[in-house]
Amino acid sequence: MGKVLISPFRPVYPTPAALITSVAADGRPNIITLGEVFNLSLRTPTIVGIAVGKARYSHELISRSREYVVNLPPTALLEKVDQCGSVSGRHVDKFAAFGLTALPASVVSPPLIAECPVNIECRVIAIEEIGDHDLFQGRVVAVHVDEALLDEEGRVCVARLDPICFMYNHNALGEYWSLGRKLADLRYTRSRSET
Ligand SMILES: Cc1cc2nc3c(=O)[nH]c(=O)nc-3n(C[C@H](O)[C@H](O)[C@H](O)COP(=O)(O)O)c2cc1C
């Protein structure tokens, strides 16, 4: 079988489906579902990027406050993840409408989502115009995890995360998937010192 050319729309996948919280000047929080969430710098410093369309209400809020929280939802939240990506916070209070619980963050103003087991607080250090989406680069200032995710030695047990993966087929239809099984431990980082 040969190869065929397909549409280049959103060609890299899967990516995590994440819920990003932001806050308006009057304190009202908002949530946007994003498939474009990336680790841009890993440790020194830790920077997490998000790609947000210019027309999104969240784009306006994050540009103003320069803060956001990346909340990683488990598959049990799938319906709410889809709902948060289907309406704009300009018209709807998504916390109230979709039954999500806001918790105060430790450093930034946007709230954590209690139902998400991982919450990453970010302060914007750069906003770059890329194309049809802008790239927000957020320095990570705090990371919260549910205690239930930790093993006996206090390490995050990734098998308990149950994240939602976001995919595209070449007809540009989005699909949600769950993870399958663990294949192996990463040998690369064991065989060299950290860079
Ligand atoms: C699974 C999924 C992934 C999405 N990924 C993105 C994305 O990466 N960037 C983006 O700007 N919008 C993305 N969207 C669309 C926004 O979530 C949607 O337009 C949302 O209603 C905007 O909310 P807001 O106006 O309150 O900010 C995605 C939607 C879904 C359902």
Side-chain angles (χ1 to χ4, degrees):
M1 292 260 267
K3 291 184 180 291
V4 294
L5 290 169
I6 60 171
S7 144
F9 181 73
R10 200 178 187 275
V12 176
Y13 49 83
T15 58
L19 295 174
I20 313 313
T21 40
S22 54
V23 74
D26 63 4
R28 278 190 316 120
N30 189 39
I31 309 171
I32 183 173
T33 301
L34 294 186
E36 311 309 329
V37 179
F38 337 90
N39 295 305
L40 295 175
S41 176
L42 303 191
R43 195 193 296 275
T44 47
T46 307
I47 298 180
V48 169
I50 56 174
V52 186
K54 291 179 198 304
R56 314 288 189 229
Y57 181 49
S58 298
H59 188 292
E60 183 184 320
L61 299 190
I62 297 168
S63 299
R64 188 200 57 80
S65 76
R66 298 183 72 86
E67 292 178 336
Y68 56 87
V69 178
V70 175
N71 303 273
L72 299 180
T75 57
L77 282 195
L78 182 58
E79 196 182 350
K80 296 175 196 295
V81 167
D82 200 54
Q83 288 167 325
C84 287
S86 306
V87 293
S88 177
R90 279 197 183 88
H91 316 296
V92 176
D93 173 347
K94 298 189 205 181
F95 277 97
F98 306 133
L100 291 164
T101 313
L103 291 177
S106 58
V107 180
V108 300
S109 304
L112 317 181
I113 299 177
E115 290 80 3
C116 293
V118 178
N119 320 90
I120 305 159
E121 298 185 34
C122 300
R123 278 223 168 105
V124 172
I125 56 166
I127 305 172
E128 204 173 335
E129 289 198 37
I130 301 292
D132 52 17
H133 284 56
D134 289 347
L135 174 65
F136 291 78
Q137 299 180 31
R139 182 190 286 261
V140 174
V141 292
V143 182
H144 308 253
V145 297
D146 283 5
E147 279 178 358
L149 282 188
L150 301 180
D151 65 16
E152 305 70 44
E153 279 137 39
R155 289 176 306 206
V156 174
C157 180
V158 290
R160 296 181 195 157
L161 265 176
D162 194 22
I164 301 173
C165 302
F166 187 43
M167 306 266 229
Y168 256 99
N169 65 37
H170 71 274
N171 293 320
L173 296 174
E175 297 178 5
Y176 300 106
W177 285 64
S178 63
L179 285 184
R181 67 201 160 83
K182 173 177 170 178
L183 299 177
D185 286 319
L186 188 76
R187 301 209 200 298
Y188 175 64
T189 45
R190 247 194 265 153
S191 62
R192 68 176 175 81
S193 57
E194 282 289 336
T195 55

